[in-house]
Amino acid sequence: MAVKTRRYSARDVTVLVIGLGVAIAVNVSVIWGPTLASVWLSGTDWNGIGPIEWVGGRNYHDLSAEYPPFWSAVRNNVLWLGFLGLVATPFGLFCAVLLDRRLRLSRFYQSALYMPVVLSLAVVGFIAQLVYSSDYGVLNAVTGLSVDWLGDSSINVWVVMVAAGWRHAGYVMIIYLAGLKAVDPALKEAAAIDGANERQAFFRVVFPTLRPVNVIVLVITVIEALRAFDIVYAINKGRNGLELLSVLVTENIVGEASRIGFGSAIAVILLVISMGFIIAYLSQMFREQR
């Protein structure tokens, strides 16, 4: 028996071409165009107005050898990633596990923990100033201390990471809570019948089934750590101990320096680091689909 194939009309083809064409044009102009332009500009010396001079890898050499804020920013980004991954993410998982037990007022707790997620990091930065300011901060007023939490470059990155982790934990909690709701209850019952306590059942039965969620959370955590910008810029424009790679990109490209090639080199480094985790995530997803 012959299989009939559907023939698209001229109208269908036009709609498909327009729909795909607009999507592809937006994707290329907003994402891939600027990305490829940054890669090319990272090998140039250009102030945005004068002629473009090709310098090859000199920008990358100058970054590592003659630009002290770069290594401070790398250190802070690593600290940011470590704090979000080792402190804020486990705390979000812990909150999700507690809420999954259907505690009393669990809806209220879930809303309270998730509320910071709806705030931008810039708003979180302003809230951090109200809490940590040495002049009018709530923390000094309550404890009676006189610590310059945001002005002291040896401690300000830690207190700002706490503020960022406050927002990140709520985001992670919602993702893990959705994953826990999807776990088959029969697995928990089987573990209980085998004599496993709640802790053993979670780490040996429930947590392994959350592997796809763990990969998603890992990628989100890495992206959040690398793109952090708003909160430190709102506090002190990312200076005096709060340097981040994203801030250096903005300062060199948009700031008074107008070193577009130099800033693009920093952006390319961020791109390479991000792509490593994104490729790992996509590989994991494709492997699971097969």
Side-chain angles (χ1 to χ4, degrees):
M1 180 178 179
V3 179
K4 294 183 178 179
T5 58
R6 178 183 175 183
R7 299 184 62 182
Y8 291 99
S9 65
R11 180 180 179 181
D12 293 336
V13 173
T14 302
V15 171
L16 287 174
V17 169
I18 294 176
L20 290 175
V22 170
I24 293 173
V26 171
N27 192 281
V28 170
S29 60
V30 175
I31 299 177
W32 291 107
T35 299
L36 296 177
S38 295
V39 173
W40 179 73
L41 287 171
S42 67
T44 67
D45 182 11
W46 186 42
N47 60 6
I49 300 176
I52 300 176
E53 178 185 356
W54 179 258
V55 295
R58 192 179 74 188
N59 287 329
Y60 296 97
H61 174 268
D62 292 345
L63 272 175
S64 60
E66 302 177 4
Y67 192 55
F70 173 74
W71 290 112
S72 297
V74 170
R75 178 183 66 87
N76 289 342
N77 273 111
V78 172
L79 290 175
W80 213 278
L81 177 59
F83 184 85
L84 293 185
L86 300 178
V87 179
T89 296
F91 181 72
L93 173 60
F94 176 72
C95 293
V97 172
L98 292 181
L99 292 175
D100 188 52
R101 296 182 178 182
R102 300 182 183 276
L103 301 174
R104 292 185 60 186
L105 301 177
S106 60
R107 295 285 185 179
F108 171 77
Y109 297 140
Q110 180 176 332
S111 300
L113 291 170
Y114 185 73
M115 188 177 298
V117 181
V118 304
L119 304 176
S120 69
L121 278 177
V123 176
V124 175
F126 290 126
I127 295 175
Q129 287 181 306
L130 296 176
V131 174
Y132 296 123
S133 175
S134 59
D135 298 326
Y136 53 84
V138 175
L139 184 58
N140 281 350
V142 172
T143 61
L145 299 174
S146 58
V147 180
D148 191 1
W149 300 100
L150 299 178
D152 189 343
S153 59
S154 64
I155 60 175
N156 57 5
V157 67
W158 298 102
V159 297
V160 173
M161 284 192 299
V162 170
W166 171 58
R167 179 178 182 271
H168 183 73
Y171 193 17
V172 170
M173 178 201 69
I174 289 297
I175 297 175
Y176 271 122
L177 189 58
L180 290 171
K181 297 296 184 184
V183 175
D184 188 355
L187 295 176
K188 301 178 183 178
E189 295 174 359
I193 293 174
D194 291 339
N197 55 36
E198 291 187 3
R199 180 179 179 182
Q200 292 172 333
F202 176 76
F203 284 104
R204 297 183 181 181
V205 178
V206 177
F207 192 71
T209 63
L210 296 175
R211 185 177 180 183
V213 180
N214 292 332
V215 175
I216 294 173
V217 169
L218 173 63
V219 174
I220 290 175
T221 301
V222 172
I223 293 175
E224 284 290 319
L226 293 178
R227 76 180 184 89
F229 171 83
D230 314 43
I231 184 169
V232 297
Y233 200 82
I235 292 174
N236 67 353
K237 296 187 177 180
R239 299 170 183 172
N240 188 33
L242 294 182
E243 295 84 1
L244 293 174
L245 291 174
S246 56
V247 176
L248 298 185
V249 172
T250 304
E251 282 189 349
N252 283 278
I253 294 180
V254 183
E256 297 178 0
S258 295
R259 304 170 67 186
I260 295 179
F262 197 74
S264 297
I266 305 174
V268 170
I269 293 175
L270 271 174
L271 172 66
V272 171
I273 298 173
S274 302
M275 287 297 293
F277 289 95
I278 293 173
I279 291 173
Y281 165 69
L282 293 177
S283 300
Q284 174 69 21
M285 295 299 294
F286 291 147
R287 191 180 303 115
E288 290 177 356
Q289 289 179 0
R290 290 197 297 267

